[in-house]
Amino acid sequence: LGLDPELLAFVPQPTVAVCLLFPSRAIRKPRLEALDGQQETRRAPPSTFYLIQHKEFGNACGTIAAVHAVANLARVGCVRLAPDSPIERFFAKAE
């Protein structure tokens, strides 16, 4: 598993985003402990749409990855959101 060109060739085309999700109970707790308190010190660039995944979200990493992909693709003009659609209104409020 990786991002080598020969592996990415298996991704159906056209593709505008790829989300890789790796569930692992063995590393979840140590990873959360290592990240504890870092949310305030690390920031995404202003040109990037970014949501912090709080512990209360639970297993929502796939949903958040999809939201990040759509928001950032819309921001750079790769996709167009329907005007006044629920997702367009959400992104407008979230900025």
Side-chain angles (χ1 to χ4, degrees):
L1 187 59
L3 298 175
D4 300 325
E6 57 272 5
L7 294 173
L8 288 175
F10 287 104
V11 177
Q13 297 298 320
T15 298
V16 293
V18 174
C19 298
L20 302 174
L21 307 171
F22 300 94
S24 176
R25 294 185 189 275
I27 66 168
R28 179 175 163 76
K29 186 175 179 183
R31 177 81 171 134
L32 287 174
E33 289 170 355
L35 292 174
D36 195 29
Q38 290 187 13
Q39 284 108 354
E40 297 303 317
T41 60
R42 296 180 358 189
R43 297 275 179 210
S47 61
T48 303
F49 181 86
Y50 180 73
L51 292 174
I52 295 172
Q53 183 171 345
H54 298 279
K55 293 176 192 176
E56 294 82 18
F57 288 177
N59 191 19
C61 54
T63 301
I64 290 177
V67 168
H68 283 146
V70 171
N72 286 302
L73 288 166
R75 190 171 270 194
V76 298
C78 287
V79 297
R80 281 187 288 151
L81 303 175
D84 203 39
S85 65
I87 193 127
E88 192 270 339
R89 289 193 309 267
F90 171 75
F91 293 148
K93 284 182 182 179
E95 291 185 11

